Amino acid sequence: MFWRKRRMATPEMAEAASKVVAEPMFGVLDILLMSVSLGIGVYWFFFRGKKTSEQPSVVKKLSVAPTLTRSSNVGFIAKMKSSGKNLVVFYGSQTGTGEEFATRLSKDALRFGMKGMIADPEECEMEDLAQLTEVENSMAIFCMATYGEGDPTDNAQEFYDWLQEGSVGLAGLRYAVFGLGNKTYEHYNAMGIYVDKRLEDLGAERIYDLGLGDDDGNMEEDFVTWREQFWPAVCQRFGVQATGDESSIRTYALRIEDFLPEKVFTGEVARLGSFRTQKRPFDSKNPYLAPVKVNRELHKGGERSCMHIEFDITDSKIRYEAGDHVAVFPINDSALVDRIAELLGADLDVVMSLDNLDEEASKKHPFPCPCSYRTAFTHYLDITSVPRTNVLKDIAEYASDPKDKEFLLLLSSATPEGKKEYSEWVMHDHRSIVAILEDLPSLKPPLDHLCELLPRLHARYYSISSSPKLHPTSIHITAVLTRYTTRVGRQVNGVATSWLKGKVPNGPQSMPNVPIYVRKSQFRLPFKPATPVIMVGPGTGLAPFRGFIEERYHAKKEGKVLGETVLFFGCRNRDHDYIYEDELKEYQENQTLSAVYVAFSREQAEKQYVQHIMMQKKEKIWELLEQGGHIYVCGDARYMAPDVQKVIRTIISEHGDKTHQEADDYIKKLQSKGRYACDVWS
C-alpha cells in the first residue's frame, strides 16, 4: 500500500510541474503558492501516507479483541441455546462447597435426560433469568451458601441486590434452591431461604422444596438426601426418565505435552507468574507475598500452641481497618503429597493440563493449568478434608478388590446403611483421601481423575488483631495451632496453622513469605470514641479486640475522650493461655481499658466461662447499654455466642423490666443499629 500510494503521487506532481512551466501568465506569488502546495502534497503522500498505510496492521490486531470479548461475555441464555443445554445451576460460594454441589447437580442432569451447566452469578447478567423460558424444558437450580451474619457470599452479592430490587417478573421460570448454612449461626441459611421465597414472589414456579444443608451436622448427608428426592420431582414435572447409567462422568480431559516452562503454573492463585512479579492491586485472585517478620508463641505452658504472627505490608499499598479479616493461602504438607505418590506409584513431576470438555464452559480448568501434579496436590487440591460421597463413588471403579469397591459404593449410597457408614467411617474418623487410600490398598485411581474430583484448597480467614493507626505497615493475626488425634489413632493437623507454624523469620534478611489479601468486614468500632463499648472474646476471640483496643489507645493519645471500654475474656488457665496479658494490663494502667474481666475455666472445680462473668457484672452491662454502648462478640458460634446472647437477654429482661419477647425486640433493635455485632465461627 505504501509503494502504491507513492507511485500514484508521481504523475500528479509531474502534471502540476508541467503546468507551472507551460503557463507563463502565472506570477511569482502564484508560483510560490503552488510550491507550498506541492510541498504539502509531498509531505502528505510520503510521510502521512506512510503512517496511514501502516494502519491496517494495527486495525487487524485490534479487530480480534472485540470478537474474543464478545465470545467470552456471551450470556448464559445464549450459551444454553447454542449448546443445547436446558438446566443451569447457579452457585453462591465462599469456600467452594456451593460450587462443588452445583457441579454435581450439573453432572447429574445427563442421567435424567437433561443437559446442564454451572454458572457464577457474578459473571452473569441475572436479569436474563426472565429469558430462560425461551429454552425448552428449562429450569434453574440455585446452590446458595450463607456467609457471616445472614449475608450473601461475595460472588452472590450483586444477584442478591438485584433480587431485592424486584423489577423483573419471572413468570414461567422453573427453579429449585438448596441452601448451605450452619445452625450454630443465628441467621441459619438466610440466603437460601431468601432466594427461594423471593423467586416465588417474582412469579417463578418452584419445582421442589427448598433444601437446607447444615454444616454443623452433616452437610453431605443433607445434600444427598435432598438430591435423591429432587430428581424424581424433576422427572415427573418434565416428563423425563432416569437413564440408569451410573458410570462416572468426566468433565475434564487430560493433556500432557512439552509445555514451555514459562507457561507452567507453580502455585499462583490465578495470574501466571504473579509470585515472581508482584503487581498491585492485591486481592483474592492476586495475593501479596507478605514477609513474616514476627512469629512468636503466646501460650506460656500446656500442650496447646497459639501463634502471634505479623505480616509486613510495607511495599504493598494494602490498606486495612481494625476488625477486617486477612486471608492466608496455605499449602499442603509435602509429606502427605509424597504419600499419595507412594500409594499410587505415580510420578508427581509430570506436567499436565486438565481441559474442560465443554467448550461453552466458563471454567476451562479445575485449577490453574498447566502445572505439575506435585503443584496441584501441594497448592490447589484439598487433600486433608474428608472426601464427599460423589468422590468415593467415582473412584470405586479403580478398586481391584471387589470388597473394597463394594464398600466404597455403600459409603456413597443414599441408603440408611450407607449414610450411617459414611458418617462413622469417613466423617467421625476424619478419613482424608490419604487415609482412604491407605485403608483400601487395592484402590488406585489415576492422578488426573483424582485431581478432577478433589475440592480446591481455599484460603483461610483470620480476624486481624492489630490497628493500622499503630501498625500501618503490618498486619497481625492470632491463631491456635489445630492438631488432634482421631479415635483410630491418626493425627490430624490443620493445613494453614501447621504451615504457618513453620514460617519463622531468621533475621530481617531471611523472612519467609505468605500469600495474603485483606477482606473488608462490617465489624467496626463506633465512629465516636466517646461511645462505650463492651467486648466479649474468649481465646482467640480476643484477636479483633486487640485491634479495637489499639484504636482506642491511639484516639486517647490524640486527646480524644474515650467512653468506657470493657473487655470480657476467657481462657483455661492463667499460667498457660492468658494471651496478651501484659498488653492488657498496660492498657488498663494507661486507662485505655476501663476494666478487664477474665474467666479462667479450668482453675476451679466448676468450669467458669465469659457468660458467667457477664452475669456477675450485669448491672454494669445494662448501664453501658442504656448509655448507648455497643456490644461485640467474637469467637465460637456453637456454644459461646448463643450463651452470651442468652445472658444479654436476661440482663435486659431483669434490669429493663421487659418480657422475653420485649428483650428479644431490644436485641434486634441493637443489631439493626449496629450496636450488637458478632464475628463468630464454628
Side-chain angles (χ1 to χ4, degrees), residues 184-200:
T184 61
Y185 290 80
E186 182 180 358
H187 304 284
Y188 171 61
N189 253 314
M191 189 60 181
I193 293 169
Y194 174 77
V195 170
D196 180 66
K197 180 66 168 63
R198 189 66 184 131
L199 290 173
E200 181 184 46

Side-chain angles (χ1 to χ4, degrees), residues 268-526:
E268 302 94 327
V269 176
R271 181 173 64 83
L272 183 65
S274 63
F275 287 170
R276 292 192 299 270
T277 307
Q278 293 263 275
K279 296 179 181 178
R280 306 181 188 93
F282 299 107
D283 54 27
S284 60
K285 301 293 178 64
N286 181 40
Y288 175 62
L289 285 176
V292 176
K293 55 193 254 181
V294 174
N295 187 343
R296 61 184 172 88
E297 178 61 44
L298 289 175
H299 285 180
K300 294 167 283 189
E303 298 178 351
R304 298 186 308 142
S305 171
C306 183
M307 298 167 284
H308 171 85
I309 299 174
E310 299 181 11
F311 301 116
D312 189 349
I313 58 170
T314 303
D315 299 321
S316 68
K317 292 192 176 179
I318 289 176
R319 300 290 179 265
Y320 74 97
E321 295 181 66
D324 283 342
H325 301 121
V326 63
V328 170
F329 289 88
I331 65 172
N332 288 311
D333 184 349
S334 60
L336 286 179
V337 175
D338 289 337
R339 182 62 175 147
I340 290 176
E342 180 185 347
L343 291 166
L344 298 180
D347 181 1
L348 294 180
D349 295 318
V350 171
V351 177
M352 56 81 199
S353 179
L354 289 176
D355 304 333
N356 203 315
L357 293 167
D358 182 1
E359 294 182 358
E360 295 288 342
S362 58
K363 191 173 184 178
K364 302 303 180 186
H365 313 282
F367 44 76
C369 286
C371 68
S372 69
Y373 282 119
R374 185 177 302 281
T375 296
F377 282 98
T378 302
H379 293 272
Y380 300 139
L381 298 171
D382 187 348
I383 62 174
T384 60
S385 65
V386 297
R388 300 199 184 276
T389 56
N390 66 302
V391 176
L392 302 180
K393 182 177 181 179
D394 282 1
I395 63 176
E397 63 182 281
Y398 301 113
S400 57
D401 186 334
K403 290 183 179 179
D404 288 350
K405 181 175 181 178
E406 183 181 351
F407 182 58
L408 286 167
L409 291 175
L410 172 66
L411 291 172
S412 60
S413 72
T415 64
E417 183 186 1
K419 291 177 181 177
K420 182 176 183 297
E421 198 67 39
Y422 176 82
S423 178
E424 291 293 320
W425 196 79
V426 179
M427 297 283 291
H428 289 174
D429 290 341
H430 197 97
R431 277 184 169 86
S432 66
I433 188 63
V434 179
I436 289 171
L437 292 173
E438 287 177 336
D439 291 345
L440 303 177
S442 81
L443 180 61
K444 305 292 182 184
L447 286 183
D448 64 290
H449 202 176
L450 210 52
C451 285
E452 178 177 329
L453 292 170
L454 292 177
R456 283 290 300 271
L457 179 61
H458 287 277
R460 271 47 173 180
Y461 297 93
Y462 297 91
S463 296
I464 294 177
S465 56
S466 57
S467 163
K469 302 287 178 59
L470 293 189
H471 306 283
T473 61
S474 64
I475 288 175
H476 303 180
I477 65 170
T478 308
V480 167
L481 178 65
T482 301
R483 181 176 293 165
Y484 62 92
T485 303
T486 68
R487 61 184 185 178
V488 293
R490 279 194 175 92
Q491 182 169 297
V492 176
N493 299 320
V495 177
T497 54
S498 296
W499 180 65
L500 287 170
K501 185 71 175 175
K503 294 290 183 179
V504 179
N506 185 21
Q509 303 305 317
S510 180
M511 294 190 289
N513 293 329
V514 171
I516 68 167
Y517 77 93
V518 169
R519 185 175 68 185
K520 293 299 178 183
S521 167
Q522 299 301 314
F523 204 62
R524 293 280 185 266
L525 277 171

Side-chain angles (χ1 to χ4, degrees), residues 76 79 88-94 98-99 102 117-126 141-144 153-159 285 361-363:
F76 70 91
K79 285 184 179 180
V88 56
V89 191
F90 296 99
Y91 61 88
S93 185
Q94 199 72 27
E99 181 180 1
M117 63 178 281
I118 67 168
D120 183 344
E122 190 173 35
E123 298 176 358
C124 298
E125 297 294 337
M126 295 306 289
I141 307 174
F142 299 83
C143 291
M144 308 306 296
T153 56
D154 292 345
N155 77 308
Q157 182 64 56
E158 291 182 12
F159 173 48
K285 301 293 178 64
S362 58
K363 191 173 184 178

Side-chain angles (χ1 to χ4, degrees), residues 554-603:
H554 182 269
K556 183 179 176 61
K557 283 207 310 180
E558 288 188 330
K560 296 176 182 176
V561 176
L562 292 187
E564 288 199 56
T565 307
V566 176
L567 171 67
F568 289 91
F569 174 67
C571 61
R572 295 183 180 184
N573 187 289
R574 184 190 312 267
D575 297 327
H576 291 171
D577 55 354
Y578 188 175
I579 60 176
Y580 301 117
E581 179 182 7
D582 293 339
E583 287 186 16
L584 296 179
K585 286 181 178 178
E586 186 177 341
Y587 284 125
Q588 278 185 278
E589 290 171 1
N590 62 38
Q591 298 182 331
T592 300
L593 276 171
S594 309
V596 176
Y597 303 113
V598 186
F600 299 106
S601 62
R602 308 294 172 90
E603 288 193 356

Side-chain angles (χ1 to χ4, degrees), residues 628-643:
H630 290 219
I631 186 164
Y632 301 90
V633 181
C634 183
D636 169 52
R638 183 174 299 172
Y639 302 113
M640 184 276 296
D643 287 345

